[in-house]
Amino acid sequence: MVEIEIDGKKVEVQEGSMVMDAANKLGTYIPHFCYHKKLSIAANCRMCLVEVEKAPKPLPACATPVTNGMIVRTASDKAIKAQKSVMEFLLINHPLDCPICDQGGECQLQDLAVGYGPSASRYDEEKRVVEPKDAGPLISMREMARCIHCTRCVRFGQEIAGVMEFGMLNRGEHSEITTFVGNTVDSELSGNMIDLCPVGALTSKPFRYSARTWELSRRRSVSPHDGLGANLIVQVKSGKVMRVLPLENEGVNECWLSDKDRFAYEGLNSAERLTAPMIKQDGKWIETDWQTALEYVAHGLKDIRKDHGADSIAALAAPYSTLEELSLLQKLTRGLGSDNVDFRLRQSDFSLDGKVTPWLGMSIDELGTADRVFVIGSFLRKDHPLLAARLRQSAKHGAKVSILHATDDDLLISLTNRMIKAPSDWLAGLSEVVVAVAQAKGVAIPAGFEGVEASEIAKGIAASLLSGERRAVVLGNAAAQHPQASQLHAAAQWLAQNTGASFGYLTEAANSVGGYIANAIPGKGANALQMFAQPRKAYVLLHAEPEFDCYDPQAARAALSKADMVVVMSPFKHGADYADVLLPVAPFSETSGTFVNCEGRAQGFNGTVKPLGETRPAWKVLRVLGNMLELAGFDYETSEEIRAEILGTKKAEEADLKPRLNNNAHVQLQAAKAAAGTQVERIADVPIYFTDAIVRRAESLQLTTAAQAPKALISPILAQQLGVAEGAQVKVSQGQGSTVLAVAVDAKLPANVVRVSAAHKSTIGLGAMFGAISVEKA
């Protein structure tokens, strides 16, 4: 440790720290633009010049290392004079457009110009003009003359997002920040550049010119869009969500947000919002009041139970429903005498039911600081953008990351080992790693694995897992959705136990862990797959759009169209062709509730705006429905009472759920050998901007490159066999349905694998997310 003195106060900091770090530790503010605690040091704005005793001239606090006994003055005449001179230079070319600038009111340059800027400029020359640029649908670069070349956006792209999408052209006053040769900015973390920009050069395109910062109320919330549970500041005006920003939480999302979390709010204000209950009569939809709609549902459910038995009733919820909603849904279903309730809509193998409650198995911090990580079956960058960013940082600092997957997407992480196999061969791949670990450790090979030969890649993964100090083996969304999920789990668990690694799941949605805590899973009843495979007479759907959210949309549609009654509880109008009742329930922004994220952290939140029209929070709707059905235990006044009943504490943050979570199952380890691989099989990703109902309706996100209509990705070998080239049309058939898609040739795909995205309107006619699929020239 080194002791230095700043403005008469002594402070101890780590050797190698900068003066800025010491000042931050003391709480002393030094003006700056280019410095950011999460980015490398650029020292190019010079605003943080301070006086250091014995130094001939002021030095930049962000780039001056501390030395023992150093004396720093941040507000001496010398320091202030230097800072004012820098500010004068910064303002030479800055346009005088504060009254129309979107950054007005939260602009660092504006704030510091008040304290350090001159009252009049000494420069009469013309100001420089910078051409506007188009960076895509999310970031506006219309006023790049405001840019002060702090290069925060450039460094963020290189260091955090992992892809350099902005760079600086030219020199001196001709310098400008631009994208590469007319490209748009396509990173899934690009919106953070808007936050980082200290002036109004990069602004939010969807929010542009819609409100002034001082007109907005700020409310805390939690993101419902992936398993991380990013903390949000939701900004509201006139009862409408206008903007979403990150709320800093070092243990969860640090100070970042993915674009999905940041821009999905547009879906909340979508024209497709359902604002009043609706009932279908004689094939026509009519609006009605809540009393009539709920009585209709209660009578319908009672009649179906009487005529066909309780087992003919099924309830399905989306995994981003709140803890309180899921708890009341299962209570209602079980109150009716049925055990058919589930939220795991994209899962296909349920053999681990009752044995595990999947979670990350460690804290998010621990995953981010692990030095050996093995990721199995995950479209990591698109499924978990901020977790991928953490792994990217650890890989840059020497961590070794290995993957087993069916596609070799560019994760923007330097990977040590990549095992790319068809989904049906994933278990064979893990079997090889199991054998390699056993051989490297000199222990007996598990029974049944005698004939398995470890490949060089498997040996590489084994060697990686057996070195290092902090190891992690994690299963991604695709592994959890895989038809052999339980066997993959058993092999991964064996690897973790025998290499001393933490073991867990990168969970899919905001409340995938909470669904287990709320007991919204069948005990002896039918699971999500069986509920559609053996059609029921009545379905209650909470937030779910089965044609987009289910493992096999074909089976889901067929079952729903045969049902006597389908109740859709959703913030949006959907399912008009199979539903009988539409009940408008509140999205996360209009209700209070709790999400349990991947690390088992319960996070409570309140509504940020009033429910739209006749919309009601889903927990209230379920509570009233419970009363109408004369079920016991539906007398809650607030959502906090429901939370307290489930978690045992009124404050979500106080709940310790780890004892209730468990990844370790006693499952027989099974060996597999790679098949000859002649049958063509499907791997389905869920594209990042189609994961849930809100995101699918966010207009700006739907204009991005990542939201383009899916193509059929095939290997060069398959393309040759079919006689098709890039851009040609192919007919893809699965089960009872088929669709025509454009072809993209991906040299990194296994020969017999076709990648066709799920959850998109062009592919919902197809069947399961894995399994046999046929492709022919259209």
Side-chain angles (χ1 to χ4, degrees):
M1 298 295 275
V2 175
E3 185 178 79
I4 75 164
E5 186 184 296
I6 299 180
D7 296 341
K9 294 178 191 162
K10 285 192 162 54
V11 63
E12 275 196 353
V13 287
Q14 208 74 39
E15 201 172 339
S17 303
M18 300 297 152
V19 172
M20 186 70 92
D21 302 324
N24 287 344
K25 194 171 178 182
L26 269 179
T28 301
Y29 179 72
I30 299 174
H32 60 271
F33 292 112
C34 69
Y35 168 81
H36 189 275
K37 63 182 180 184
K38 294 282 183 186
L39 302 176
S40 63
I41 293 163
N44 53 7
C45 76
R46 315 309 277 181
M47 192 63 212
C48 64
L49 292 174
V50 291
E51 183 186 350
V52 177
E53 201 170 83
K54 296 188 183 144
K57 57 182 184 181
L59 300 174
C62 70
T64 304
V66 294
T67 57
N68 217 4
M70 181 187 260
I71 296 173
V72 179
R73 298 184 187 93
T74 67
S76 65
D77 289 346
K78 192 174 178 181
I80 298 283
K81 193 177 169 193
Q83 290 159 359
K84 285 188 169 178
S85 304
V86 170
M87 180 57 79
E88 187 176 14
F89 278 123
L90 285 175
L91 294 176
I92 290 174
N93 273 313
H94 203 80
L96 292 171
D97 60 354
C98 295
I100 60 146
C101 177
D102 245 16
Q103 194 86 349
E106 52 184 12
C107 172
Q108 254 179 288
L109 186 68
Q110 213 176 34
D111 294 345
L112 293 179
V114 174
Y116 300 90
S119 50
S121 177
R122 290 190 276 173
Y123 295 87
D124 298 327
E125 290 80 6
E126 286 185 10
K127 292 188 184 278
R128 74 187 197 126
V129 176
V130 182
E131 284 293 309
K133 299 167 181 70
D134 181 18
L138 304 179
I139 299 177
S140 170
M141 296 180 80
R142 298 288 304 163
E143 288 91 10
M144 288 308 290
R146 298 173 185 157
C147 177
I148 59 167
H149 305 136
C150 68
T151 66
R152 279 182 176 187
C153 54
V154 179
R155 284 176 286 145
F156 174 82
Q158 283 175 303
E159 295 163 20
I160 310 294
V163 55
M164 188 174 170
E165 293 180 293
F166 279 136
M168 198 190 289
L169 281 183
N170 307 326
R171 299 185 67 180
E173 71 161 12
H174 302 293
S175 303
E176 50 183 286
I177 298 285
T178 181
T179 58
F180 285 94
V181 210
N183 287 357
T184 54
V185 173
D186 298 323
S187 160
E188 60 282 358
L189 302 174
S190 67
N192 293 296
M193 298 183 194
I194 299 166
D195 291 346
L196 287 172
C197 185
V199 292
L202 303 179
T203 52
S204 165
K205 230 180 216 180
F207 174 69
R208 194 172 156 77
Y209 296 150
S210 57
R212 282 298 196 184
T213 54
W214 53 85
E215 302 171 319
L216 300 169
S217 311
R218 295 156 62 89
R219 318 244 161 101
R220 296 174 64 147
S221 193
V222 179
S223 166
H225 303 301
D226 65 24
L228 189 79
N231 290 204
L232 312 177
I233 295 170
V234 178
Q235 298 192 325
V236 174
K237 180 188 174 187
S238 310
K240 185 178 171 187
V241 175
M242 302 300 283
R243 183 166 67 159
V244 168
L245 297 174
L247 175 65
E248 191 169 336
N249 184 336
E250 203 54 37
V252 182
N253 53 310
E254 301 174 276
C255 54
W256 312 123
L257 275 190
S258 68
D259 289 355
K260 182 160 67 165
D261 297 334
R262 182 184 299 271
F263 296 109
Y265 72 86
E266 284 188 295
L268 301 170
N269 308 321
S270 155
E272 289 181 44
R273 279 296 297 268
L274 179 64
T275 53
M278 298 179 86
I279 291 178
K280 193 193 273 181
Q281 286 191 338
D282 304 324
K284 291 202 178 82
W285 283 102
I286 55 163
E287 281 194 7
T288 183
D289 58 273
W290 271 106
Q291 185 70 20
T292 310
L294 290 175
E295 280 176 359
Y296 180 85
V297 173
H299 282 304
L301 291 174
K302 279 179 180 170
D303 290 349
I304 285 167
R305 179 175 63 176
K306 193 172 129 203
D307 298 344
H308 304 282
D311 193 50
S312 60
I313 298 171
L316 291 143
Y320 54 90
S321 310
T322 68
L323 194 65
E324 293 78 358
E325 292 165 1
L326 290 169
S327 177
L328 290 196
L329 182 70
Q330 64 88 15
K331 213 169 175 181
L332 181 92
T333 313
R334 293 192 161 106
L336 285 165
S338 168
D339 196 32
N340 307 327
V341 60
D342 211 343
F343 67 93
R344 301 160 300 173
L345 306 184
R346 292 196 180 109
Q347 199 166 312
S348 60
D349 176 6
F350 295 88
S351 343
L352 293 174
D353 275 16
K355 297 187 177 102
V356 295
T357 41
W359 68 298
L360 188 57
M362 62 202 102
S363 70
I364 291 163
D365 262 347
E366 284 169 334
L367 180 67
T369 54
D371 53 12
R372 299 290 182 270
V373 183
F374 183 25
V375 182
I376 301 161
S378 174
F379 296 93
L380 190 61
R381 232 182 97 191
K382 302 299 184 183
D383 288 347
H384 310 283
L386 289 171
L387 287 174
R390 283 194 185 241
L391 289 177
R392 188 172 300 126
Q393 292 308 305
S394 46
K396 282 166 70 174
H397 294 118
K400 292 187 172 166
V401 181
S402 307
I403 62 158
L404 162 62
H405 201 35
T407 65
D408 191 6
D409 294 352
D410 187 0
L411 301 179
L412 306 174
I413 298 171
S414 53
L415 297 172
T416 310
N417 303 287
R418 31 164 82 80
M419 186 182 267
I420 307 301
K421 287 183 171 292
S424 59
D425 285 338
W426 286 1
L427 188 58
L430 282 180
S431 300
E432 288 179 24
V433 183
V434 165
V435 168
V437 166
Q439 286 170 346
K441 282 186 75 179
V443 298
I445 290 170
F449 283 73
E450 294 79 13
V452 176
E453 194 76 34
S455 64
E456 285 309 308
I457 299 171
K459 286 174 184 168
I461 295 171
S464 167
L465 280 175
L466 288 165
S467 60
E469 289 172 16
R470 297 176 304 281
R471 300 172 279 267
V473 175
V474 286
L475 294 160
N477 294 1
Q481 293 153 1
H482 197 283
Q484 293 175 301
S486 56
Q487 288 157 24
L488 296 177
H489 175 109
Q493 183 184 316
W494 187 94
L495 285 173
Q497 285 168 348
N498 284 273
T499 57
S502 301
F503 170 55
Y505 282 80
L506 301 168
T507 58
E508 181 185 7
N511 215 17
S512 294
V513 179
Y516 287 89
I517 301 288
N519 195 26
I521 48 172
K524 295 193 167 62
N527 56 50
L529 202 62
Q530 292 163 342
M531 285 184 220
F532 292 129
Q534 294 118 37
R536 311 283 147 168
K537 292 293 179 186
Y539 289 95
V540 179
L541 305 177
L542 173 60
H543 291 298
E545 299 182 285
E547 60 271 46
F548 294 107
D549 294 336
C550 283
Y551 177 76
D552 187 344
Q554 231 174 59
R557 285 299 298 263
L560 290 166
S561 52
K562 283 184 204 152
D564 292 354
M565 184 182 199
V566 177
V567 181
V568 169
M569 298 172 68
S570 170
F572 306 101
K573 292 177 187 152
H574 73 84
D577 49 345
Y578 56 73
D580 299 285
V581 192
L582 299 179
L583 302 177
V585 297
F588 80 104
S589 56
E590 296 166 21
T591 180
S592 56
T594 313
F595 290 140
V596 182
N597 76 352
C598 59
E599 65 173 357
R601 182 191 295 242
Q603 300 188 101
F605 56 92
N606 292 318
T608 52
V609 290
K610 284 201 176 95
L612 188 67
E614 286 297 303
T615 301
R616 295 287 178 268
W619 70 266
K620 287 189 176 178
V621 176
L622 289 163
R623 182 199 65 189
V624 174
L625 204 48
N627 293 335
M628 286 183 163
L629 289 163
E630 296 159 7
L631 304 176
F634 280 84
D635 43 7
Y636 306 100
E637 293 295 317
T638 63
S639 64
E640 281 81 1
E641 286 178 33
I642 311 170
R643 180 201 294 159
E645 185 178 286
I646 310 163
L647 300 182
T649 169
K650 275 209 164 162
K651 280 197 174 154
E653 289 66 34
E654 290 172 2
D656 179 18
L657 298 177
K658 301 231 167 69
R660 293 159 74 172
L661 304 173
N662 162 47
N663 289 323
N664 291 329
H666 300 291
V667 184
Q668 183 59 44
L669 200 57
Q670 286 189 24
K673 279 190 180 175
T678 47
Q679 190 184 27
V680 177
E681 56 181 284
R682 178 181 181 186
I683 174 81
D685 59 314
V686 178
I688 183 169
Y689 301 135
F690 294 97
T691 49
D692 62 67
I694 299 171
V695 178
R696 286 192 280 267
R697 291 169 174 83
E699 286 173 26
S700 299
L701 291 178
Q702 295 307 320
L703 297 172
T704 58
T705 311
Q708 286 174 354
K711 294 179 173 174
L713 272 72
I714 59 176
S715 65
I717 295 171
L718 193 55
Q720 200 179 351
Q721 284 170 4
L722 295 169
V724 294
E726 185 92 19
Q729 302 278 305
V730 289
K731 183 183 175 192
V732 179
S733 311
Q734 200 185 10
Q736 310 301 309
S738 63
T739 184
V740 174
L741 300 172
V743 160
V745 179
D746 182 354
K748 294 175 178 174
L749 272 179
N752 61 323
V753 170
V754 181
R755 177 173 173 178
V756 181
S757 300
H760 189 273
K761 60 179 181 290
S762 64
T763 61
I764 55 174
L766 299 174
M769 293 171 73
F770 292 87
I773 191 167
S774 74
V775 187
E776 55 192 321
K777 205 170 177 174

